[in-house]
Amino acid sequence: MKKQNFIVLGVSGSGKSSVAKNLSLYFNLNYVEADKFHTLQNKIKMTRGIALTESDRRTWLAKIIRYLKFRKHTNWVLACSALKASHRKMLLNELENTSLIWLDSSYKNIVKRLDKRKNHFFSSQLIRSQFDDIENPKMSYRIVTNKPLYKVKFEARSKVKKIRKQRSAIFLKFRNNYPWL
């Protein structure tokens, strides 16, 4: 049985990378950082406080999809903003056995976090545009991140355990109904 893959999503500063890295270590998953797939031009735009266009984002998401599909990475966790439903649809249509974990936070909380962050290309000037752009995911496991990071990580691990348990139960039920498979 294939294991489940995960996308940890949310606005910049929500804790995506920290939570995804923690899940990768805890569950022995390949960690993939979506920011590494941005072009130099996109990074320069964001450093200057210029929001990405949908064309920029589609190209970026296509690079991520190609990497995950054609490198044959299985059992991975991706840290990716995936702000809009169209972004998530693009990812989920192409990437099998994938569940979404949404790190939801308030604007005030994110601004505080970004002010403390060093050595990152994302300009805190852009955070308002991310909150304007985000379309709250309907089909995701939501974690409110207005608590210490260790509690967010613990809750994310609990959600992954729950997802895996549900998936195993579905697989066993299917296998028992179709024993010749």
PDB file of all heavy atoms in Angstrom, residues 121-152:
ATOM      1  N   PHE A 121      13.784  35.728   1.535  1.00  0.00           N
ATOM      2  CA  PHE A 121      13.521  36.636   0.416  1.00  0.00           C
ATOM      3  C   PHE A 121      12.141  37.267   0.459  1.00  0.00           C
ATOM      4  O   PHE A 121      11.889  38.276  -0.183  1.00  0.00           O
ATOM      5  CB  PHE A 121      13.723  35.927  -0.934  1.00  0.00           C
ATOM      6  CG  PHE A 121      12.805  34.764  -1.159  1.00  0.00           C
ATOM      7  CD1 PHE A 121      11.531  34.941  -1.647  1.00  0.00           C
ATOM      8  CD2 PHE A 121      13.231  33.471  -0.862  1.00  0.00           C
ATOM      9  CE1 PHE A 121      10.683  33.868  -1.846  1.00  0.00           C
ATOM     10  CE2 PHE A 121      12.396  32.395  -1.068  1.00  0.00           C
ATOM     11  CZ  PHE A 121      11.114  32.594  -1.557  1.00  0.00           C
ATOM     12  N   PHE A 122      11.206  36.699   1.214  1.00  0.00           N
ATOM     13  CA  PHE A 122       9.831  37.196   1.210  1.00  0.00           C
ATOM     14  C   PHE A 122       9.745  38.500   1.996  1.00  0.00           C
ATOM     15  O   PHE A 122      10.116  38.574   3.163  1.00  0.00           O
ATOM     16  CB  PHE A 122       8.899  36.154   1.829  1.00  0.00           C
ATOM     17  CG  PHE A 122       7.440  36.502   1.694  1.00  0.00           C
ATOM     18  CD1 PHE A 122       6.749  36.182   0.538  1.00  0.00           C
ATOM     19  CD2 PHE A 122       6.777  37.159   2.704  1.00  0.00           C
ATOM     20  CE1 PHE A 122       5.399  36.505   0.406  1.00  0.00           C
ATOM     21  CE2 PHE A 122       5.439  37.490   2.584  1.00  0.00           C
ATOM     22  CZ  PHE A 122       4.751  37.156   1.423  1.00  0.00           C
ATOM     23  N   SER A 123       9.238  39.526   1.356  1.00  0.00           N
ATOM     24  CA  SER A 123       9.085  40.831   1.989  1.00  0.00           C
ATOM     25  C   SER A 123       7.813  40.858   2.832  1.00  0.00           C
ATOM     26  O   SER A 123       6.750  40.452   2.360  1.00  0.00           O
ATOM     27  CB  SER A 123       9.019  41.924   0.923  1.00  0.00           C
ATOM     28  OG  SER A 123       8.631  43.146   1.496  1.00  0.00           O
ATOM     29  N   SER A 124       7.920  41.363   4.048  1.00  0.00           N
ATOM     30  CA  SER A 124       6.738  41.436   4.914  1.00  0.00           C
ATOM     31  C   SER A 124       5.683  42.384   4.327  1.00  0.00           C
ATOM     32  O   SER A 124       4.523  42.339   4.715  1.00  0.00           O
ATOM     33  CB  SER A 124       7.125  41.855   6.330  1.00  0.00           C
ATOM     34  OG  SER A 124       7.749  43.115   6.312  1.00  0.00           O
ATOM     35  N   GLN A 125       6.087  43.216   3.372  1.00  0.00           N
ATOM     36  CA  GLN A 125       5.129  44.105   2.701  1.00  0.00           C
ATOM     37  C   GLN A 125       4.086  43.303   1.917  1.00  0.00           C
ATOM     38  O   GLN A 125       2.998  43.788   1.642  1.00  0.00           O
ATOM     39  CB  GLN A 125       5.852  45.030   1.723  1.00  0.00           C
ATOM     40  CG  GLN A 125       6.868  45.939   2.351  1.00  0.00           C
ATOM     41  CD  GLN A 125       7.764  46.588   1.295  1.00  0.00           C
ATOM     42  OE1 GLN A 125       7.761  46.201   0.130  1.00  0.00           O
ATOM     43  NE2 GLN A 125       8.538  47.571   1.722  1.00  0.00           N
ATOM     44  N   LEU A 126       4.431  42.065   1.568  1.00  0.00           N
ATOM     45  CA  LEU A 126       3.541  41.242   0.738  1.00  0.00           C
ATOM     46  C   LEU A 126       2.494  40.472   1.536  1.00  0.00           C
ATOM     47  O   LEU A 126       1.591  39.880   0.946  1.00  0.00           O
ATOM     48  CB  LEU A 126       4.368  40.232  -0.068  1.00  0.00           C
ATOM     49  CG  LEU A 126       5.173  40.802  -1.216  1.00  0.00           C
ATOM     50  CD1 LEU A 126       6.070  39.732  -1.819  1.00  0.00           C
ATOM     51  CD2 LEU A 126       4.247  41.366  -2.270  1.00  0.00           C
ATOM     52  N   ILE A 127       2.610  40.462   2.845  1.00  0.00           N
ATOM     53  CA  ILE A 127       1.718  39.601   3.624  1.00  0.00           C
ATOM     54  C   ILE A 127       0.255  39.990   3.450  1.00  0.00           C
ATOM     55  O   ILE A 127      -0.618  39.125   3.392  1.00  0.00           O
ATOM     56  CB  ILE A 127       2.141  39.518   5.109  1.00  0.00           C
ATOM     57  CG1 ILE A 127       1.490  38.303   5.754  1.00  0.00           C
ATOM     58  CG2 ILE A 127       1.840  40.776   5.868  1.00  0.00           C
ATOM     59  CD1 ILE A 127       1.802  36.983   5.106  1.00  0.00           C
ATOM     60  N   ARG A 128      -0.034  41.266   3.312  1.00  0.00           N
ATOM     61  CA  ARG A 128      -1.427  41.699   3.103  1.00  0.00           C
ATOM     62  C   ARG A 128      -1.970  41.066   1.818  1.00  0.00           C
ATOM     63  O   ARG A 128      -3.093  40.585   1.780  1.00  0.00           O
ATOM     64  CB  ARG A 128      -1.503  43.235   3.042  1.00  0.00           C
ATOM     65  CG  ARG A 128      -2.845  43.826   2.691  1.00  0.00           C
ATOM     66  CD  ARG A 128      -4.104  43.371   3.402  1.00  0.00           C
ATOM     67  NE  ARG A 128      -4.086  43.243   4.821  1.00  0.00           N
ATOM     68  CZ  ARG A 128      -4.909  42.425   5.504  1.00  0.00           C
ATOM     69  NH1 ARG A 128      -5.805  41.688   4.892  1.00  0.00           N
ATOM     70  NH2 ARG A 128      -4.835  42.345   6.802  1.00  0.00           N
ATOM     71  N   SER A 129      -1.144  41.020   0.759  1.00  0.00           N
ATOM     72  CA  SER A 129      -1.619  40.445  -0.504  1.00  0.00           C
ATOM     73  C   SER A 129      -1.879  38.943  -0.345  1.00  0.00           C
ATOM     74  O   SER A 129      -2.796  38.407  -0.975  1.00  0.00           O
ATOM     75  CB  SER A 129      -0.627  40.706  -1.641  1.00  0.00           C
ATOM     76  OG  SER A 129       0.554  39.944  -1.485  1.00  0.00           O
ATOM     77  N   GLN A 130      -1.106  38.263   0.486  1.00  0.00           N
ATOM     78  CA  GLN A 130      -1.362  36.831   0.699  1.00  0.00           C
ATOM     79  C   GLN A 130      -2.675  36.616   1.441  1.00  0.00           C
ATOM     80  O   GLN A 130      -3.431  35.708   1.115  1.00  0.00           O
ATOM     81  CB  GLN A 130      -0.191  36.172   1.443  1.00  0.00           C
ATOM     82  CG  GLN A 130       1.017  35.990   0.559  1.00  0.00           C
ATOM     83  CD  GLN A 130       1.869  34.817   0.979  1.00  0.00           C
ATOM     84  OE1 GLN A 130       1.903  34.409   2.128  1.00  0.00           O
ATOM     85  NE2 GLN A 130       2.587  34.277   0.016  1.00  0.00           N
ATOM     86  N   PHE A 131      -2.940  37.445   2.433  1.00  0.00           N
ATOM     87  CA  PHE A 131      -4.229  37.325   3.139  1.00  0.00           C
ATOM     88  C   PHE A 131      -5.395  37.692   2.219  1.00  0.00           C
ATOM     89  O   PHE A 131      -6.472  37.125   2.338  1.00  0.00           O
ATOM     90  CB  PHE A 131      -4.239  38.178   4.417  1.00  0.00           C
ATOM     91  CG  PHE A 131      -3.689  37.453   5.611  1.00  0.00           C
ATOM     92  CD1 PHE A 131      -2.331  37.523   5.901  1.00  0.00           C
ATOM     93  CD2 PHE A 131      -4.496  36.670   6.408  1.00  0.00           C
ATOM     94  CE1 PHE A 131      -1.805  36.837   6.989  1.00  0.00           C
ATOM     95  CE2 PHE A 131      -3.987  35.975   7.496  1.00  0.00           C
ATOM     96  CZ  PHE A 131      -2.637  36.069   7.782  1.00  0.00           C
ATOM     97  N   ASP A 132      -5.166  38.625   1.292  1.00  0.00           N
ATOM     98  CA  ASP A 132      -6.208  38.970   0.309  1.00  0.00           C
ATOM     99  C   ASP A 132      -6.434  37.819  -0.662  1.00  0.00           C
ATOM    100  O   ASP A 132      -7.558  37.576  -1.100  1.00  0.00           O
ATOM    101  CB  ASP A 132      -5.820  40.230  -0.476  1.00  0.00           C
ATOM    102  CG  ASP A 132      -5.851  41.491   0.381  1.00  0.00           C
ATOM    103  OD1 ASP A 132      -6.444  41.459   1.484  1.00  0.00           O
ATOM    104  OD2 ASP A 132      -5.257  42.499  -0.048  1.00  0.00           O
ATOM    105  N   ASP A 133      -5.360  37.111  -1.022  1.00  0.00           N
ATOM    106  CA  ASP A 133      -5.428  36.051  -2.029  1.00  0.00           C
ATOM    107  C   ASP A 133      -5.910  34.704  -1.496  1.00  0.00           C
ATOM    108  O   ASP A 133      -6.495  33.923  -2.244  1.00  0.00           O
ATOM    109  CB  ASP A 133      -4.051  35.822  -2.680  1.00  0.00           C
ATOM    110  CG  ASP A 133      -3.694  36.900  -3.683  1.00  0.00           C
ATOM    111  OD1 ASP A 133      -4.559  37.734  -3.999  1.00  0.00           O
ATOM    112  OD2 ASP A 133      -2.529  36.905  -4.139  1.00  0.00           O
ATOM    113  N   ILE A 134      -5.647  34.409  -0.232  1.00  0.00           N
ATOM    114  CA  ILE A 134      -5.923  33.045   0.244  1.00  0.00           C
ATOM    115  C   ILE A 134      -7.420  32.734   0.183  1.00  0.00           C
ATOM    116  O   ILE A 134      -8.255  33.542   0.563  1.00  0.00           O
ATOM    117  CB  ILE A 134      -5.351  32.767   1.650  1.00  0.00           C
ATOM    118  CG1 ILE A 134      -5.368  31.256   1.912  1.00  0.00           C
ATOM    119  CG2 ILE A 134      -6.062  33.553   2.725  1.00  0.00           C
ATOM    120  CD1 ILE A 134      -4.487  30.782   3.028  1.00  0.00           C
ATOM    121  N   GLU A 135      -7.694  31.580  -0.367  1.00  0.00           N
ATOM    122  CA  GLU A 135      -9.053  31.044  -0.397  1.00  0.00           C
ATOM    123  C   GLU A 135      -9.041  29.869   0.575  1.00  0.00           C
ATOM    124  O   GLU A 135      -8.346  28.877   0.343  1.00  0.00           O
ATOM    125  CB  GLU A 135      -9.404  30.583  -1.816  1.00  0.00           C
ATOM    126  CG  GLU A 135      -9.416  31.723  -2.814  1.00  0.00           C
ATOM    127  CD  GLU A 135      -9.501  31.279  -4.263  1.00  0.00           C
ATOM    128  OE1 GLU A 135      -9.541  30.061  -4.541  1.00  0.00           O
ATOM    129  OE2 GLU A 135      -9.505  32.173  -5.131  1.00  0.00           O
ATOM    130  N   ASN A 136      -9.759  30.023   1.667  1.00  0.00           N
ATOM    131  CA  ASN A 136      -9.705  29.013   2.720  1.00  0.00           C
ATOM    132  C   ASN A 136     -10.024  27.624   2.169  1.00  0.00           C
ATOM    133  O   ASN A 136     -11.077  27.425   1.549  1.00  0.00           O
ATOM    134  CB  ASN A 136     -10.669  29.360   3.847  1.00  0.00           C
ATOM    135  CG  ASN A 136     -10.274  30.643   4.557  1.00  0.00           C
ATOM    136  OD1 ASN A 136      -9.174  31.153   4.377  1.00  0.00           O
ATOM    137  ND2 ASN A 136     -11.166  31.164   5.362  1.00  0.00           N
ATOM    138  N   PRO A 137      -9.104  26.689   2.379  1.00  0.00           N
ATOM    139  CA  PRO A 137      -9.304  25.327   1.848  1.00  0.00           C
ATOM    140  C   PRO A 137     -10.492  24.639   2.506  1.00  0.00           C
ATOM    141  O   PRO A 137     -10.637  24.656   3.724  1.00  0.00           O
ATOM    142  CB  PRO A 137      -8.003  24.609   2.217  1.00  0.00           C
ATOM    143  CG  PRO A 137      -7.036  25.667   2.589  1.00  0.00           C
ATOM    144  CD  PRO A 137      -7.829  26.828   3.065  1.00  0.00           C
ATOM    145  N   LYS A 138     -11.323  24.052   1.686  1.00  0.00           N
ATOM    146  CA  LYS A 138     -12.487  23.323   2.209  1.00  0.00           C
ATOM    147  C   LYS A 138     -12.125  21.875   2.536  1.00  0.00           C
ATOM    148  O   LYS A 138     -12.641  21.312   3.481  1.00  0.00           O
ATOM    149  CB  LYS A 138     -13.626  23.379   1.195  1.00  0.00           C
ATOM    150  CG  LYS A 138     -14.203  24.771   1.036  1.00  0.00           C
ATOM    151  CD  LYS A 138     -15.263  24.803  -0.049  1.00  0.00           C
ATOM    152  CE  LYS A 138     -15.904  26.135  -0.225  1.00  0.00           C
ATOM    153  NZ  LYS A 138     -15.015  27.224  -0.570  1.00  0.00           N
ATOM    154  N   MET A 139     -11.260  21.295   1.752  1.00  0.00           N
ATOM    155  CA  MET A 139     -10.896  19.887   1.917  1.00  0.00           C
ATOM    156  C   MET A 139      -9.488  19.784   2.507  1.00  0.00           C
ATOM    157  O   MET A 139      -8.552  19.358   1.840  1.00  0.00           O
ATOM    158  CB  MET A 139     -10.955  19.161   0.573  1.00  0.00           C
ATOM    159  CG  MET A 139     -12.325  19.175  -0.074  1.00  0.00           C
ATOM    160  SD  MET A 139     -13.590  18.350   0.903  1.00  0.00           S
ATOM    161  CE  MET A 139     -13.060  16.667   0.790  1.00  0.00           C
ATOM    162  N   SER A 140      -9.346  20.222   3.748  1.00  0.00           N
ATOM    163  CA  SER A 140      -8.034  20.178   4.387  1.00  0.00           C
ATOM    164  C   SER A 140      -8.214  19.908   5.880  1.00  0.00           C
ATOM    165  O   SER A 140      -9.313  20.001   6.415  1.00  0.00           O
ATOM    166  CB  SER A 140      -7.298  21.501   4.189  1.00  0.00           C
ATOM    167  OG  SER A 140      -7.936  22.524   4.926  1.00  0.00           O
ATOM    168  N   TYR A 141      -7.108  19.596   6.492  1.00  0.00           N
ATOM    169  CA  TYR A 141      -7.062  19.452   7.942  1.00  0.00           C
ATOM    170  C   TYR A 141      -6.505  20.770   8.473  1.00  0.00           C
ATOM    171  O   TYR A 141      -5.344  21.097   8.246  1.00  0.00           O
ATOM    172  CB  TYR A 141      -6.187  18.260   8.340  1.00  0.00           C
ATOM    173  CG  TYR A 141      -6.778  16.952   7.874  1.00  0.00           C
ATOM    174  CD1 TYR A 141      -6.545  16.474   6.591  1.00  0.00           C
ATOM    175  CD2 TYR A 141      -7.612  16.221   8.719  1.00  0.00           C
ATOM    176  CE1 TYR A 141      -7.111  15.289   6.153  1.00  0.00           C
ATOM    177  CE2 TYR A 141      -8.185  15.033   8.276  1.00  0.00           C
ATOM    178  CZ  TYR A 141      -7.932  14.573   6.999  1.00  0.00           C
ATOM    179  OH  TYR A 141      -8.501  13.407   6.563  1.00  0.00           O
ATOM    180  N   ARG A 142      -7.338  21.527   9.157  1.00  0.00           N
ATOM    181  CA  ARG A 142      -6.992  22.886   9.594  1.00  0.00           C
ATOM    182  C   ARG A 142      -6.345  22.863  10.973  1.00  0.00           C
ATOM    183  O   ARG A 142      -6.834  22.206  11.892  1.00  0.00           O
ATOM    184  CB  ARG A 142      -8.256  23.734   9.630  1.00  0.00           C
ATOM    185  CG  ARG A 142      -8.044  25.147  10.097  1.00  0.00           C
ATOM    186  CD  ARG A 142      -9.358  25.921  10.014  1.00  0.00           C
ATOM    187  NE  ARG A 142      -9.226  27.252  10.539  1.00  0.00           N
ATOM    188  CZ  ARG A 142      -9.912  27.709  11.589  1.00  0.00           C
ATOM    189  NH1 ARG A 142     -10.798  26.941  12.193  1.00  0.00           N
ATOM    190  NH2 ARG A 142      -9.724  28.938  12.009  1.00  0.00           N
ATOM    191  N   ILE A 143      -5.256  23.630  11.089  1.00  0.00           N
ATOM    192  CA  ILE A 143      -4.600  23.826  12.383  1.00  0.00           C
ATOM    193  C   ILE A 143      -4.463  25.331  12.587  1.00  0.00           C
ATOM    194  O   ILE A 143      -3.843  26.021  11.775  1.00  0.00           O
ATOM    195  CB  ILE A 143      -3.200  23.162  12.421  1.00  0.00           C
ATOM    196  CG1 ILE A 143      -3.313  21.647  12.191  1.00  0.00           C
ATOM    197  CG2 ILE A 143      -2.500  23.467  13.740  1.00  0.00           C
ATOM    198  CD1 ILE A 143      -1.978  20.946  12.038  1.00  0.00           C
ATOM    199  N   VAL A 144      -5.043  25.833  13.652  1.00  0.00           N
ATOM    200  CA  VAL A 144      -4.915  27.247  13.988  1.00  0.00           C
ATOM    201  C   VAL A 144      -3.565  27.423  14.681  1.00  0.00           C
ATOM    202  O   VAL A 144      -3.246  26.703  15.628  1.00  0.00           O
ATOM    203  CB  VAL A 144      -6.084  27.712  14.883  1.00  0.00           C
ATOM    204  CG1 VAL A 144      -5.912  29.161  15.290  1.00  0.00           C
ATOM    205  CG2 VAL A 144      -7.412  27.513  14.154  1.00  0.00           C
ATOM    206  N   THR A 145      -2.772  28.374  14.181  1.00  0.00           N
ATOM    207  CA  THR A 145      -1.387  28.493  14.646  1.00  0.00           C
ATOM    208  C   THR A 145      -1.151  29.645  15.618  1.00  0.00           C
ATOM    209  O   THR A 145      -0.052  30.175  15.698  1.00  0.00           O
ATOM    210  CB  THR A 145      -0.434  28.640  13.444  1.00  0.00           C
ATOM    211  OG1 THR A 145      -0.746  29.854  12.754  1.00  0.00           O
ATOM    212  CG2 THR A 145      -0.530  27.458  12.508  1.00  0.00           C
ATOM    213  N   ASN A 146      -2.170  30.015  16.374  1.00  0.00           N
ATOM    214  CA  ASN A 146      -2.007  31.081  17.357  1.00  0.00           C
ATOM    215  C   ASN A 146      -1.535  30.521  18.700  1.00  0.00           C
ATOM    216  O   ASN A 146      -1.967  30.956  19.752  1.00  0.00           O
ATOM    217  CB  ASN A 146      -3.311  31.863  17.521  1.00  0.00           C
ATOM    218  CG  ASN A 146      -4.443  30.979  18.024  1.00  0.00           C
ATOM    219  OD1 ASN A 146      -4.317  29.755  18.066  1.00  0.00           O
ATOM    220  ND2 ASN A 146      -5.546  31.593  18.411  1.00  0.00           N
ATOM    221  N   LYS A 147      -0.647  29.543  18.633  1.00  0.00           N
ATOM    222  CA  LYS A 147      -0.112  28.887  19.830  1.00  0.00           C
ATOM    223  C   LYS A 147       1.365  28.624  19.579  1.00  0.00           C
ATOM    224  O   LYS A 147       1.846  28.783  18.455  1.00  0.00           O
ATOM    225  CB  LYS A 147      -0.876  27.594  20.104  1.00  0.00           C
ATOM    226  CG  LYS A 147      -0.999  26.649  18.915  1.00  0.00           C
ATOM    227  CD  LYS A 147      -1.960  25.509  19.221  1.00  0.00           C
ATOM    228  CE  LYS A 147      -2.565  24.921  17.975  1.00  0.00           C
ATOM    229  NZ  LYS A 147      -3.950  25.176  17.775  1.00  0.00           N
ATOM    230  N   PRO A 148       2.098  28.209  20.593  1.00  0.00           N
ATOM    231  CA  PRO A 148       3.535  27.937  20.389  1.00  0.00           C
ATOM    232  C   PRO A 148       3.757  26.883  19.306  1.00  0.00           C
ATOM    233  O   PRO A 148       2.950  25.969  19.131  1.00  0.00           O
ATOM    234  CB  PRO A 148       3.993  27.422  21.756  1.00  0.00           C
ATOM    235  CG  PRO A 148       2.992  27.953  22.733  1.00  0.00           C
ATOM    236  CD  PRO A 148       1.688  28.028  21.985  1.00  0.00           C
ATOM    237  N   LEU A 149       4.874  27.008  18.601  1.00  0.00           N
ATOM    238  CA  LEU A 149       5.183  26.134  17.475  1.00  0.00           C
ATOM    239  C   LEU A 149       5.203  24.661  17.869  1.00  0.00           C
ATOM    240  O   LEU A 149       4.745  23.814  17.111  1.00  0.00           O
ATOM    241  CB  LEU A 149       6.518  26.539  16.841  1.00  0.00           C
ATOM    242  CG  LEU A 149       6.925  25.794  15.581  1.00  0.00           C
ATOM    243  CD1 LEU A 149       5.870  25.922  14.483  1.00  0.00           C
ATOM    244  CD2 LEU A 149       8.275  26.290  15.083  1.00  0.00           C
ATOM    245  N   TYR A 150       5.697  24.337  19.060  1.00  0.00           N
ATOM    246  CA  TYR A 150       5.752  22.920  19.453  1.00  0.00           C
ATOM    247  C   TYR A 150       4.345  22.320  19.528  1.00  0.00           C
ATOM    248  O   TYR A 150       4.141  21.151  19.212  1.00  0.00           O
ATOM    249  CB  TYR A 150       6.525  22.717  20.767  1.00  0.00           C
ATOM    250  CG  TYR A 150       5.787  23.098  22.027  1.00  0.00           C
ATOM    251  CD1 TYR A 150       5.041  22.148  22.719  1.00  0.00           C
ATOM    252  CD2 TYR A 150       5.842  24.384  22.536  1.00  0.00           C
ATOM    253  CE1 TYR A 150       4.358  22.481  23.883  1.00  0.00           C
ATOM    254  CE2 TYR A 150       5.164  24.727  23.692  1.00  0.00           C
ATOM    255  CZ  TYR A 150       4.420  23.779  24.366  1.00  0.00           C
ATOM    256  OH  TYR A 150       3.742  24.110  25.506  1.00  0.00           O
ATOM    257  N   LYS A 151       3.346  23.131  19.892  1.00  0.00           N
ATOM    258  CA  LYS A 151       1.973  22.639  19.940  1.00  0.00           C
ATOM    259  C   LYS A 151       1.403  22.464  18.532  1.00  0.00           C
ATOM    260  O   LYS A 151       0.647  21.523  18.280  1.00  0.00           O
ATOM    261  CB  LYS A 151       1.085  23.588  20.756  1.00  0.00           C
ATOM    262  CG  LYS A 151       1.380  23.544  22.244  1.00  0.00           C
ATOM    263  CD  LYS A 151       0.408  24.400  23.031  1.00  0.00           C
ATOM    264  CE  LYS A 151       0.687  24.281  24.519  1.00  0.00           C
ATOM    265  NZ  LYS A 151      -0.296  25.013  25.319  1.00  0.00           N
ATOM    266  N   VAL A 152       1.781  23.342  17.623  1.00  0.00           N
ATOM    267  CA  VAL A 152       1.349  23.228  16.229  1.00  0.00           C
ATOM    268  C   VAL A 152       1.930  21.950  15.625  1.00  0.00           C
ATOM    269  O   VAL A 152       1.230  21.190  14.955  1.00  0.00           O
ATOM    270  CB  VAL A 152       1.768  24.474  15.414  1.00  0.00           C
ATOM    271  CG1 VAL A 152       1.444  24.289  13.938  1.00  0.00           C
ATOM    272  CG2 VAL A 152       1.093  25.728  15.959  1.00  0.00           C
TER     273      VAL A 152
END
